[in-house]
Amino acid sequence: MAPTFTSPAAPTPAPTLVLKPGTEWATAWQRCRAAAPEAFREERVLNLWGGAWQADGSPLPATTPVDGTPVPGPPRLDPATARRAVRAALDQHRTWGRLPLGERKARVGAALDALAEHSELLSLLLVWEIGKPWRLARADVDRAIGGVRWYVAEIDRMVEGRGPLPGPVSNIASWNYPMSVLVHAMLVQALAGNAVIAKTPTDGGLSCLTLACALATREGLPLTLVSGSGGELSEALVRAPEIGCVSFVGGRDTGARVATAVADLGKRHILEQEGLNTWGIWNFTGWDAFAPQIRKTFDYAKQRCTAYPRFVVQRAAFADFLAHYLPAVREVTLGHPLAVAAPSEPLPELDFGPLINAAKAKELNDQVAEAVDRGAIPLYRGELAAGRFLPGQDTSAYLPPVTLLNPPPASPLHHAEPFGPVDTIVLVDTESELLAAMNASNGALVATLSCDDAATYERLAPQIRAFKVGHGTPRSRGDRDELFGGFGASWRGAFVGGELLVRAVTQGAPGVPGASGTSGASGASGASGMSGEERVPGNFPDYHLMP
């Protein structure tokens, strides 16, 4: 009998994905208009200043990174109007600062209740405006609300013997964490007795921030939210004499310009800047614990200040490192954050969606290509075809993971944070080389060192120029009472987190140790950028004071 051959079964085709019903941008926009009609018009959002929503400014065109379709853009103010907004914020500041702490706590608490009621909509706006997967968008909103609730419970002891700054706090923040960084900071600043000004990030988060501020101002919080060019508004938002403190989160180039301005003017300041966060591997064998953490480092495409884009690996351990790194990075998932196989399915559990825009994806693609041309070795390249996308959708803002070995010194990937899903690996043979490679960017926010021997970790960790150094585990910005700051060029000004955040936006009363004019103060106010001569923990031109 002739043998019988059975043809292999054809692979099951992947299901055609659809947009989850109820998550459409048009639906989210109409929900915004219904929730806060005072802040949203038919085709645009309004600026908030002088205690009212203003139909001023020139709206810029904008698109969502998720699929390239249009969304409302920021209504950019001119410098003269921005100056009026700052003067109005000073009037609010003087009134708000006279309110009893109990009243401020009640109003902030009511604002948090309103944010919690609309948390699902705020999260959906984050998905569309900055491309966060649903899980991470919900976490961003929840962390903001939960974090500020902690401050409401703890604020009494933190402001004892302290009062508001002479003027409002001005916030200029990046787009990646509108809620858990920017809104969180704004509400704590208000809780501490200050009026608060914020500039919406140009690249995304406008509608989410507008809705959050609308809900908070209904409860009487003294918030100002304006849009505009950083260069055009810096005179008002950074240099204006009415400003009591400048809080900045962003890149080093812009941060350096802000730092120069606040140092010249002697303003209180908090400047969180980028740094190349590194993960070192030295005399290490605990690979089973290391491998599960690799995939997590790709959350939100590494578009966060505490991402780990650089691994510094002992050459003798490189084979073991790759054996665990490569399988982990192959499991990373990306795609449209709201695409499902069936309308009844839950939203997907993706590691990341798009980058913030198509220009950023192209920039990183070009940097990778240039680095390879100059000698970097590509160890891994993901494929966009493996992502979860809607039929025919624009995917120009998406970039699959890439891993390069030994980026050349001339490449930006050698010394700067890519802010995207691009890992670089540097091999070293000595402890000196390890430390030099981990300190390549003159300061970082976080770092991790994986080594088996605790004594070796304790000896090497203090030589790593990062504010937080983990032993075999990643570090994060932290919440509630966890402190945060940076070393070198990654941070300028007051440290934050826990009691330090409140201390950074308040001033000690006369007679309190460490307050202006007392025996605990030292250093010139102009050099340290502090009001009066109070020395708060931070990284200043004339002193570096750890908590």
Side-chain angles (χ1 to χ4, degrees):
M1 178 181 296
T4 301
F5 296 96
T6 303
S7 299
T12 303
T16 300
L17 301 181
V18 297
L19 189 65
K20 175 79 172 177
T23 66
E24 306 87 356
W25 170 257
T27 300
W29 178 252
Q30 291 306 318
R31 291 175 62 186
C32 287
R33 295 193 63 198
E38 68 272 30
F40 295 87
R41 293 285 173 86
E42 183 175 353
E43 298 294 338
R44 61 165 291 177
V45 302
L46 306 184
N47 287 299
L48 171 63
W49 62 271
W53 292 94
Q54 314 278 356
D56 50 16
S58 302
L60 289 179
T63 58
T64 167
V66 172
D67 62 9
T69 56
V71 296
R76 298 174 62 153
L77 290 185
D78 59 83
T81 306
R83 287 193 293 272
R84 292 171 56 202
V86 170
R87 288 194 291 270
L90 178 61
D91 293 337
Q92 289 182 303
H93 181 81
R94 291 167 173 164
T95 301
W96 177 258
R98 290 193 291 266
L99 285 181
L101 177 59
E103 178 66 19
R104 299 201 303 265
K105 289 168 63 176
R107 295 192 187 187
V108 172
L112 293 172
D113 291 342
L115 293 177
E117 181 182 349
H118 293 84
S119 63
E120 187 269 342
L121 176 55
L122 290 165
S123 302
L124 183 58
L125 293 172
L126 290 182
V127 174
W128 278 112
E129 292 193 290
I130 62 173
K132 282 201 169 182
W134 181 246
R135 169 179 59 87
L136 300 178
R138 290 307 304 262
D140 193 10
V141 175
D142 291 345
R143 284 178 58 198
I145 297 170
V148 180
R149 287 199 192 280
W150 180 84
Y151 277 94
V152 172
E154 301 288 335
I155 189 66
D156 293 76
R157 64 176 176 83
M158 296 181 183
V159 297
E160 186 175 353
R162 305 185 66 79
L165 295 174
V169 181
S170 178
N171 295 268
I172 303 170
S174 60
W175 45 265
N176 53 343
Y177 284 91
M179 292 295 297
S180 64
V181 174
L182 181 51
V183 169
H184 177 279
M186 293 170 68
L187 296 186
V188 174
Q189 292 160 7
L191 183 63
N194 302 287
V196 179
I197 304 168
K199 187 182 88 68
T200 59
T202 303
D203 288 326
L206 170 69
S207 295
C208 178
L209 287 168
T210 299
L211 177 59
C213 287
L215 298 172
T217 53
R218 287 179 182 175
E219 307 302 333
L221 270 64
L223 305 184
T224 295
L225 182 68
V226 295
S227 295
S229 161
E232 291 183 354
L233 300 193
S234 63
E235 193 68 27
L237 301 185
V238 176
R239 293 181 172 273
E242 294 90 345
I243 298 296
C245 174
V246 177
S247 178
F248 170 86
V249 180
R252 288 194 178 184
D253 291 343
T254 303
R257 291 192 291 271
V258 174
T260 299
V262 295
D264 290 346
L265 298 168
K267 287 187 184 295
R268 185 73 62 94
H269 58 280
I270 308 162
L271 309 182
E272 176 185 332
Q273 301 170 138
E274 63 189 4
L276 184 60
N277 306 318
T278 59
W279 193 315
I281 306 289
W282 187 258
N283 291 342
F284 178 68
T285 60
W287 300 110
D288 290 342
F290 170 77
Q293 300 181 88
I294 296 301
R295 181 174 175 180
K296 294 179 182 178
T297 68
F298 281 90
D299 273 358
Y300 195 35
K302 305 202 177 212
Q303 296 178 109
R304 60 189 193 280
C305 62
T306 55
Y308 285 82
R310 166 67 54 80
F311 290 89
V312 181
V313 182
Q314 187 177 17
R315 192 181 307 273
F318 185 47
D320 288 331
F321 172 86
L322 279 187
H324 293 83
Y325 174 90
L326 290 176
V329 74
R330 291 188 185 108
E331 294 178 355
V332 171
T333 57
L334 77 156
H336 191 305
L338 304 173
V340 294
S344 60
E345 278 191 357
L347 292 170
E349 289 280 335
L350 299 173
D351 295 304
F352 62 88
L355 302 192
I356 187 57
N357 51 47
K360 180 61 179 180
K362 181 181 184 303
E363 173 191 294
L364 278 181
N365 254 326
D366 291 346
Q367 288 180 358
V368 168
E370 181 183 31
V372 172
D373 285 345
R374 295 185 176 186
I377 300 170
L379 297 177
Y380 180 79
R381 287 181 182 269
E383 295 184 1
L384 204 58
R388 293 171 51 92
F389 299 109
L390 299 177
Q393 82 160 80
D394 185 330
T395 59
S396 58
Y398 293 79
L399 181 71
V402 177
T403 306
L404 301 179
L405 176 66
N406 290 337
S411 168
L413 298 176
H414 178 80
H415 54 79
E417 181 182 17
F419 231 63
V422 178
D423 275 350
T424 55
I425 300 172
V426 173
L427 301 183
V428 295
D429 296 296
T430 67
E431 288 185 358
S432 296
E433 290 177 334
L434 172 80
L435 293 171
M438 294 190 72
N439 293 327
S441 67
N442 183 25
L445 303 176
V446 297
T448 292
L449 179 61
S450 290
C451 59
D452 293 342
D453 180 49
T456 300
Y457 170 81
E458 295 295 336
R459 178 169 52 83
L460 295 177
Q463 301 178 68
I464 299 171
R465 298 278 291 164
F467 190 78
K468 297 180 181 180
V469 181
H471 187 187
T473 57
R475 299 303 304 271
S476 67
R477 202 175 197 277
D479 292 305
R480 304 184 182 189
D481 60 351
E482 188 172 350
L483 307 181
F484 191 57
F487 286 153
S490 68
W491 194 281
R492 300 172 190 267
F495 295 147
V496 296
E499 185 174 350
L500 291 189
L501 174 54
V502 173
R503 191 171 176 185
V505 296
T506 56
Q507 58 185 356
V512 176
S516 176
T518 70
S519 60
S522 63
S525 63
S528 64
M530 312 310 296
S531 58
E533 294 186 4
E534 182 181 16
R535 286 169 63 97
V536 299
N539 185 28
F540 296 97
D542 61 337
Y543 76 88
H544 182 97
L545 179 62
M546 289 298 292

